[in-house]
Amino acid sequence: MKKILLGLTMLAAQLMFAQKVTGVKVEKVQKEAPAQLSKEKISLYNDNFLKFVTALKDSDRPAVDLLLSEKVKEIVTDDVLKKVKEGFDVNKKLEILKTGYHKLMDGSNLPSIHYKYAGDSSSKEVIMAVFEEDGKILGVMPAKKEK
């Protein structure tokens, strides 16, 4: 009997001191990115990308390193640059297809520009360049566009 009374007392004490949680709200703070890039930013990013393509075409590693972000300099080797160079035709003229923001896996948005070859009306081959806000190149992804 004493054991049952002790058990009921413990249960009653827990219920008496239990706290009721009300109004829990989870807020996810996310930096809002503007819908479009400004003309100045587009000009800066485009100039840097065209310099990158020229340096890639000439195999000028120091010039390429100046245009790359500090975050990717360590992982970009000569083999990676060779694969990027093979991924699209550096001899053809590029023109801007669209601009905007590229969402990363961590939820952040970075400016990006999609390029197509000049005179190519089908725009099946698209090259996407992702930039940091200061204009340094984070990534270049040549890809076939599916329609």
Side-chain angles (χ1 to χ4, degrees), residues 8 39 47 50 65-66 78-79 90 105 131 140 144 147:
L8 288 174
K39 290 185 180 186
D47 290 344
L50 294 178
D65 285 341
L66 287 175
D78 290 333
D79 290 335
V90 294
M105 290 171 59
F131 302 90
V140 176
K144 301 269 186 210
K147 281 213 170 185

Side-chain angles (χ1 to χ4, degrees), residues 10 37 40 46 75 80 100 109 133 144 146:
M10 294 293 287
L37 297 173
E40 296 83 23
N46 187 43
I75 60 172
V80 172
N109 292 318
E133 290 294 330
K144 301 269 186 210
E146 301 288 327

Side-chain angles (χ1 to χ4, degrees), residues 97 114-117 123-128 141-145:
L97 179 63
H114 293 249
Y115 292 92
K116 68 175 188 164
Y117 296 120
S123 69
K124 287 184 180 176
E125 274 194 77
V126 177
I127 296 105
M128 183 175 72
M141 293 163 265
K144 301 269 186 210
K145 188 175 182 182

Side-chain angles (χ1 to χ4, degrees), residues 75-98:
I75 60 172
V76 175
T77 63
D78 290 333
D79 290 335
V80 172
L81 290 176
K82 183 178 177 186
K83 287 180 182 177
V84 170
K85 187 176 180 179
E86 291 170 355
F88 65 96
D89 191 354
V90 294
N91 295 318
K92 288 185 179 178
K93 185 174 172 145
L94 297 170
E95 61 184 33
I96 296 174
L97 179 63
K98 77 175 187 180

Side-chain angles (χ1 to χ4, degrees), residues 9-114:
T9 306
M10 294 293 287
L11 182 63
Q14 286 181 354
L15 290 174
M16 207 167 57
F17 293 112
Q19 295 180 359
K20 191 182 225 183
V21 178
T22 59
V24 174
K25 187 191 263 186
V26 177
E27 293 182 21
K28 185 177 181 184
V29 178
Q30 186 173 358
K31 183 181 171 187
E32 291 293 324
Q36 291 295 324
L37 297 173
S38 68
K39 290 185 180 186
E40 296 83 23
K41 291 283 188 180
I42 292 172
S43 176
L44 171 70
Y45 300 150
N46 187 43
D47 290 344
N48 282 352
F49 183 71
L50 294 178
K51 288 177 190 173
F52 174 78
V53 170
T54 303
L56 199 60
K57 181 178 170 183
D58 298 336
S59 299
D60 186 4
R61 180 62 193 235
V64 168
D65 285 341
L66 287 175
L67 297 167
L68 289 177
S69 167
E70 294 297 324
K71 296 176 185 174
V72 296
K73 274 186 187 176
E74 297 172 5
I75 60 172
V76 175
T77 63
D78 290 333
D79 290 335
V80 172
L81 290 176
K82 183 178 177 186
K83 287 180 182 177
V84 170
K85 187 176 180 179
E86 291 170 355
F88 65 96
D89 191 354
V90 294
N91 295 318
K92 288 185 179 178
K93 185 174 172 145
L94 297 170
E95 61 184 33
I96 296 174
L97 179 63
K98 77 175 187 180
T99 62
Y101 285 87
H102 181 72
K103 188 167 190 150
L104 299 178
M105 290 171 59
D106 66 356
S108 62
N109 292 318
L110 291 173
S112 69
I113 298 179
H114 293 249

